[in-house]
């Protein structure tokens, strides 16, 4: 497999496209928005510049990587003659089902369809297609060009052949693939999201402030980033969506999202992407004040 299509030019999509292109794959990056494609390509170029500055790659490597990527706003044009499609659209089940229904109609019957979902059932997505044996999860970690892990999620009908081919391909990207089964949240988010949610509950219950909670986890548990700061980087809306998927899937109250998280998302305080979450990324105001306004 050498010809790859990536759907979605956002944070995960452009990172996935970058990673494949840098490994010598021909990549078609697809998004409905031309502005999103331009922003995605600018991000890829800047990230490559950082690698050049650190002498991890050469200017020639950068140029070759960029030349391996072609952008499309038309999904029909973008997914023709590809061996693998990696969907990296917003974490919304209805949107993903609609995309996979279209992909199944457009793509060759031999094309493998992968999703970068961080929580949604691969089996459910595969069921909308006529090729459930060729549908699989490839959950990359952010930032994609740097993080080594890829969760490879088998749906109920994903074939051994497809699983092996995606595991092998992930290794050619310089990643470490880990095979997991298809249950809400998989492994990474089944463990991570309850921790983030409990951190938000700890803040909500006035046990400690934002800085204090993050400092305890960084210094006491050797986490490189505190859970509240990490939630800001993931996106509070994404965290909320994943918790909803897990709560709906398990019907266990331990996955119910904290009211503070719900209120912050309703107010549009989504973290880094909106400029404000548990931390303020636009002003010098203290982080505690950002969250506390939603706790009154």
């Amino acid at each position: 497999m050498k010809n790859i299509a990536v759907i979605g030019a956002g944070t995960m999509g452009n990172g996935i496209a970058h990673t494949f292109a840098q490994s010598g794959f021909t990549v078609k990056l697809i998004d409905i928005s031309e502005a999103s494609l331009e922003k995605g390509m600018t991000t890829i170029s800047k990230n490559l510049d950082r690698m050049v500055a650190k002498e991890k790659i050469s200017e020639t490597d950068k140029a070759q990587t960029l030349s391996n990527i072609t952008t499309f706003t038309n999904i029909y044009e973008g997914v023709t003659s590809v061996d693998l499609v990696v969907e990296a659209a917003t974490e919304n089940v209805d949107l993903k089902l609609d995309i996979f229904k279209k992909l199944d109609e457009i793509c060759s019957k031999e094309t493998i369809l992968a999703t970068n979902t961080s929580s949604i059932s691969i089996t459910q997505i595969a069921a909308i297609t006529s090729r459930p044996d060729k549908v699989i999860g490839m959950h990359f970690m952010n930032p994609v060009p740097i993080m080594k892990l890829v969760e490879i999620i088998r749906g109920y009908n994903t074939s051994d052949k497809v699983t092996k081919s995606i595991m092998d391909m992930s290794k050619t990207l310089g990643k470490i693939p880990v095979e997991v089964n298809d249950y809400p949240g998989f492994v990474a988010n089944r463990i991570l999201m309850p921790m983030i949610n409990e951190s938000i509950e700890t803040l909500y219950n006035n046990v400690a402030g934002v800085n204090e909670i993050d400092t305890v986890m960084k210094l006491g548990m050797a986490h490189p980033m505190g859970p509240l700061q990490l939630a800001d980087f993931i996106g509070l809306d994404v965290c909320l969506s994943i918790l909803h998927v897990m709560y709906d899937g398990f019907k266990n109250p331990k996955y119910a999202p904290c009211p503070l998280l719900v209120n912050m998302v309703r107010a549009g305080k989504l973290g880094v992407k909106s400029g404000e979450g548990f931390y303020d990324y636009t002003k010098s105001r203290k982080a505690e004040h950002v969250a506390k306004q939603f706790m009154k």
Side-chain angles (χ1 to χ4, degrees):
M1 292 187 287
K2 294 298 293 183
N3 299 308
I4 313 297
V6 178
I7 297 180
T11 300
M12 296 305 295
N14 71 60
I16 293 168
H18 171 165
T19 301
F20 273 105
Q22 191 176 330
S23 297
F25 291 85
T26 299
V27 179
K28 296 179 177 180
L29 181 57
I30 306 162
D31 199 291
I32 58 173
S33 166
E34 187 66 49
S36 294
L37 288 168
E38 291 177 4
K39 183 178 179 181
M41 290 302 298
T42 298
T43 298
I44 293 171
S45 183
K46 288 181 178 178
N47 288 336
L48 289 168
D49 284 337
R50 292 190 187 97
M51 297 178 77
V52 171
K54 294 178 180 179
E55 299 184 345
K56 292 185 176 181
I57 63 172
S58 66
E59 285 286 356
T60 301
D61 294 330
K62 174 192 171 182
Q64 183 60 56
T65 297
L66 291 174
S67 71
N68 285 341
I69 305 173
T70 308
T71 60
F72 295 84
T73 54
N74 187 319
I75 190 172
Y76 294 90
E77 295 176 1
V79 300
T80 56
S81 304
V82 298
D83 305 304
L84 169 69
V85 179
V86 181
E87 171 272 320
T90 303
E91 192 74 350
N92 177 288
V93 64
D94 292 330
L95 174 62
K96 290 184 185 293
L97 292 177
D98 181 61
I99 290 172
F100 271 78
K101 188 174 182 180
K102 289 179 181 177
L103 291 175
D104 188 49
E105 295 170 354
I106 302 166
C107 296
S108 160
K109 293 301 179 183
E110 299 306 311
T111 302
I112 296 173
L113 306 181
T115 173
N116 183 58
T117 181
S118 56
S119 63
I120 298 169
S121 169
I122 307 304
T123 302
Q124 181 182 7
I125 292 172
I128 204 73
T129 76
S130 62
R131 67 184 86 191
D133 59 314
K134 294 184 177 66
V135 178
I136 195 166
M138 292 185 78
H139 181 207
F140 291 86
M141 303 294 124
N142 184 33
V144 180
I146 296 172
M147 299 293 279
K148 291 291 186 181
L149 174 66
V150 184
E151 274 190 306
I152 305 299
I153 306 103
R154 295 185 65 139
Y156 188 83
N157 292 302
T158 307
S159 72
D160 292 340
K161 180 181 178 181
V162 166
T163 301
K164 184 180 185 304
S165 68
I166 295 301
M167 293 282 285
D168 291 343
M169 170 182 273
S170 298
K171 293 174 184 176
T172 69
L173 298 175
K175 303 301 183 186
I176 299 174
V178 176
E179 181 182 337
V180 304
N181 291 319
D182 186 22
Y183 292 94
F186 315 132
V187 171
N189 281 317
R190 184 168 180 170
I191 295 170
L192 174 63
M193 286 303 152
M195 183 191 73
I196 286 177
N197 198 43
E198 191 63 29
S199 301
I200 300 171
E201 286 278 3
T202 302
L203 175 66
Y204 184 58
N205 293 328
N206 290 312
V207 177
V210 172
N211 287 326
E212 289 76 12
I213 292 168
D214 277 354
T215 298
V216 166
M217 296 303 290
K218 286 189 288 185
L219 299 184
M221 284 65 184
H223 290 192
M225 183 183 293
L228 298 176
Q229 185 183 13
L230 178 58
D232 275 354
F233 274 81
I234 293 170
L236 302 191
D237 54 337
V238 175
C239 293
L240 181 60
S241 176
I242 294 170
L243 285 165
H244 279 314
V245 168
M246 294 171 68
Y247 182 70
D248 290 343
F250 292 115
K251 299 297 187 288
N252 189 322
K254 74 177 181 180
Y255 299 117
C258 176
L260 173 57
L261 174 62
V262 174
N263 279 342
M264 291 180 71
V265 172
R266 284 174 176 167
K269 311 303 181 183
L270 309 180
V272 174
K273 69 174 76 175
S274 68
E276 191 175 299
F278 292 105
Y279 292 87
D280 190 334
Y281 300 93
T282 59
K283 301 176 184 177
S284 60
R285 186 169 54 187
K286 290 184 177 180
E288 296 94 292
H289 296 163
V290 177
K292 281 184 177 178
Q293 64 182 299
F294 298 99
M295 298 165 62
K296 296 175 181 177

